[in-house]
Amino acid sequence: LFDKVYVDATYYYSFYRDFIGFNLGVEGTFDPRTGLPIDIQAYRVAANARDKVTTQGFSLGFNYYFWKKYVFNGNYSWNRLNTQSDDPIIPAFNTPEHKFNIGFAGRDLKVNLFGQRIPNLGFNVNYKWIDSFQFEGSPQFTGFIPGYDLLDAQINWLAPKLKTTFKLGASNLLNNQVFQTYGGPRIGRLAYLSVLYEWSKK
């Protein structure tokens, strides 16, 4: 659109036969006099769905290029497991229904730093939001995952004579402590420094 805006959209509707999930059960021994349990053992058994399982979703994304070296982008996705069924299977879809991200990036920039003009700089900043969802794992690891948001950022510099790109960045820059699987550890900031050497780069 207008040689500056690129838009893409997708939609899917999927059919599954023998969809793999699991059933929960309990085995127990009971006192014949009191009826109280003596020994209880919970278990999970992998099983195939008897009914046909369907999922559907769509995504919408865009890139807006301006001032030759900058881009503003974003995307949104919606995913749903259709559960209109009497099948007792627990499908463990484990996918948030809604999520989106928005980003801003620049490339081939020239910046004055401490009186020195530094070319070939780039950056990328990205904000993402993930909806809450029910995580279905083993019996002791099934529960609610709250929604969360993350900010990622990166700067990079290309040294042409060295044929090397240096990158410094962080995922979850603000160290928002989140967990993505129920019963799993909270995940915080991950900082990194990478050096990419391109042998054939001119």
Side-chain angles (χ1 to χ4, degrees):
L1 305 175
F2 317 112
D3 294 325
K4 291 185 177 181
V5 181
Y6 293 78
V7 179
D8 62 86
T10 61
Y11 172 80
Y12 72 89
Y13 194 95
S14 303
F15 301 84
Y16 298 91
R17 294 188 182 276
D18 299 322
F19 190 91
I20 298 175
F22 60 89
N23 290 317
L24 300 179
V26 175
E27 287 184 348
T29 303
F30 298 87
D31 189 315
R33 292 173 295 178
T34 64
L36 297 175
I38 299 173
D39 181 38
I40 296 293
Q41 175 65 51
Y43 61 91
R44 183 182 78 158
V45 177
N48 296 101
R50 295 194 301 267
D51 296 339
K52 181 168 62 178
V53 173
T54 62
T55 62
Q56 64 175 324
F58 74 86
S59 66
L60 178 65
F62 73 92
N63 290 304
Y64 170 51
Y65 296 90
F66 60 100
W67 296 340
K68 295 183 179 180
K69 297 181 179 181
Y70 296 91
V71 58
F72 179 63
N73 58 67
N75 64 62
Y76 164 80
S77 66
W78 173 76
N79 300 277
R80 173 174 287 181
L81 173 71
N82 301 319
T83 56
Q84 294 80 7
S85 172
D86 294 328
D87 197 323
I89 192 174
I90 299 173
F93 188 53
N94 293 343
T95 302
E97 185 171 358
H98 306 279
K99 57 183 177 180
F100 73 85
N101 69 67
I102 296 175
F104 177 53
R107 61 180 178 83
D108 299 329
L109 306 178
K110 296 180 180 180
V111 177
N112 286 318
L113 186 64
F114 305 117
Q116 298 292 325
R117 190 169 181 83
I118 303 176
N120 305 317
L121 285 172
F123 72 91
N124 186 13
V125 179
N126 192 70
Y127 171 82
K128 63 182 69 174
W129 176 84
I130 294 90
D131 194 10
S132 58
F133 65 99
Q134 182 73 10
F135 184 89
E136 296 168 326
S138 60
Q140 67 270 37
F141 295 123
T142 293
F144 184 73
I145 302 294
Y148 58 91
D149 55 357
L150 303 172
L151 180 67
D152 303 335
Q154 175 195 283
I155 57 174
N156 56 76
W157 174 58
L158 170 63
K161 292 183 179 180
L162 301 177
K163 301 181 180 180
T164 302
T165 301
F166 299 89
K167 296 182 180 180
L168 175 66
S171 299
N172 192 4
L173 180 65
L174 302 180
N175 200 30
N176 183 14
Q177 299 287 316
V178 302
F179 60 93
Q180 301 172 354
T181 60
Y182 190 81
R186 289 188 179 274
I187 300 173
R189 180 189 303 115
L190 173 63
Y192 58 88
L193 171 65
S194 73
V195 179
L196 173 65
Y197 176 77
E198 298 178 86
W199 185 271
S200 60
K201 192 175 185 67
K202 295 182 180 180

